[in-house]
Amino acid sequence: MDGRTVLDSLKSQFPDAVADALIDSQPPHIVCANVDKGRIVDVCSYLKDNLQFNRLSGITSVDFPEETKFEVVYMIASYDHSVIVKLKAEVPRDDNPSIDTVIPVWWNANWYEREIYEFMGIYFDGHPEMTVLVLADDMMGEWPLRKDYTEFPQTTAKYPYSDDQESVVESEYPLKWKPWPSERHYLE
């Protein structure tokens, strides 16, 4: 299987849902396509069931506040052939951004989707357990990876080695350069 076969198959199977599809000119020649967010599960199921894309390599998101949108990006690969697919789905940047979960297609989407929800605030409809992975409970709902997040790094950045070996919150940003400690003191 090659990238052209995958691209043609996607375009013919989902003419209304797949747009701006192309093959990246640089190796590894990734098949890239924009997918309607309402059809993301259908497209992913087709890739897995019909084109042997049995490996979800990752999901991430990108924030475009000027354009009032997010993009949820899926990296999909195969154990059977060397073609890689990158799908992007636009999600409106409104009060409740959401897209359907792809957990029924690939079980490992679970943690990727939870991480995106936790850090960007994009909810995955149908997700079985949208619980916190990393953030403290008091930070939930702040969406710290959004570009308009005002708390970072101005009030949360800490310099790990002050003169008295305590982590401190700097009042000025950017942080001023401080020399690395010449000695380390470890607790016995």
Side-chain angles (χ1 to χ4, degrees):
M1 181 161 318
D2 65 349
R4 178 58 51 199
T5 305
V6 172
L7 185 61
D8 292 342
S9 182
L10 278 176
K11 284 181 174 180
S12 67
Q13 189 70 25
F14 302 97
D16 60 329
V18 175
D20 300 325
L22 57 92
I23 299 174
D24 190 1
S25 62
Q26 300 295 317
H29 306 294
I30 298 172
V31 175
C32 305
N34 291 345
V35 177
D36 179 78
K37 80 171 197 150
R39 299 292 305 276
I40 191 68
V41 176
D42 297 334
V43 172
C44 289
S45 294
Y46 178 78
L47 285 169
K48 182 178 182 185
D49 297 340
N50 297 77
L51 301 176
Q52 294 79 43
F53 282 92
N54 42 23
R55 179 172 176 243
L56 176 65
S57 299
I59 307 173
T60 190
S61 60
V62 185
D63 185 11
F64 296 97
E66 306 83 25
E67 301 173 38
T68 62
K69 70 174 185 177
F70 295 106
E71 282 184 351
V72 178
V73 183
Y74 300 81
M75 295 301 293
I76 306 162
S78 174
Y79 293 113
D80 301 320
H81 54 77
S82 61
V83 180
I84 299 170
V85 172
K86 176 175 70 174
L87 301 177
K88 295 191 297 184
E90 283 188 15
V91 176
R93 196 176 196 277
D94 54 19
D95 291 337
N96 297 305
S98 67
I99 189 170
D100 291 336
T101 183
V102 294
I103 289 176
V105 183
W106 297 290
W107 66 269
N108 64 319
N110 185 342
W111 284 44
Y112 296 125
E113 292 176 353
R114 287 167 62 189
E115 183 180 48
I116 291 168
Y117 173 67
E118 191 171 339
F119 287 98
M120 295 288 272
I122 302 170
Y123 190 82
F124 289 85
D125 295 323
H127 193 287
E129 184 187 7
M130 195 64 80
T131 56
V132 177
L133 288 174
V134 180
L135 289 180
D137 290 339
D138 63 337
M139 284 192 71
M140 271 311 294
E142 293 190 18
W143 323 130
L145 290 186
R146 287 188 181 185
K147 290 183 180 176
D148 58 357
Y149 181 63
T150 58
E151 299 298 315
F152 183 82
Q154 289 80 4
T155 60
T156 58
K158 297 179 180 181
Y159 190 79
Y161 301 105
S162 69
D163 295 337
D164 55 3
Q165 296 296 309
E166 289 182 12
S167 191
V168 295
V169 175
E170 296 290 338
S171 59
E172 296 179 20
Y173 184 80
L175 299 177
K176 294 179 183 173
W177 183 84
K178 293 183 180 180
W180 193 263
S182 58
E183 291 183 33
R184 296 287 179 112
H185 301 283
Y186 299 100
L187 296 175
E188 303 275 337

